[in-house]
Amino acid sequence: MKPKNTDGLTPAQRQRRKNAVWGAVMSSFFRLLSAAALLWLRASLDPAGFVSKLMLIIIVLDLGSVPLIWISLRTRLKEIQGGEEDAAAQY
């Protein structure tokens, strides 16, 4: 006996949700990984140097984009739940 669909999503919508979440997780992971790598590289530089300050700015921007990824994910999940992509595919 096949389990009932309790979330109200089609299989295609469930797959799109899964892919969207997976993409957000992987993107966040690589942003955090790159920030850690830049911090590690920055530790070997002169802290008062231009390159060190530039790396710090890049690290802050990189980490600042992580919450934006999750905000975009929330919007994407609402689009999938609303069936907007399915409706657009009919045209």
Side-chain angles (χ1 to χ4, degrees), residues 59-73:
I59 291 167
V60 168
L61 291 174
D62 204 23
L63 292 176
S65 67
V66 173
L68 299 176
I69 292 169
W70 293 96
I71 292 169
S72 296
L73 173 65

Side-chain angles (χ1 to χ4, degrees), residues 43-82:
S44 65
L45 297 175
D46 176 29
F50 173 75
V51 175
S52 179
K53 290 177 184 176
L54 181 63
M55 280 185 156
L56 186 60
I57 291 170
I58 292 170
I59 291 167
V60 168
L61 291 174
D62 204 23
L63 292 176
S65 67
V66 173
L68 299 176
I69 292 169
W70 293 96
I71 292 169
S72 296
L73 173 65
R74 187 175 66 196
T75 303
R76 176 73 177 125
L77 293 178
K78 286 179 185 176
E79 289 174 356
I80 292 169
Q81 182 74 29

Side-chain angles (χ1 to χ4, degrees), residues 22-36 66 69-70:
W22 183 247
V25 168
M26 293 306 294
S27 180
S28 296
F29 172 74
F30 283 116
R31 297 250 180 210
L32 294 172
L33 186 67
S34 68
V66 173
I69 292 169
W70 293 96

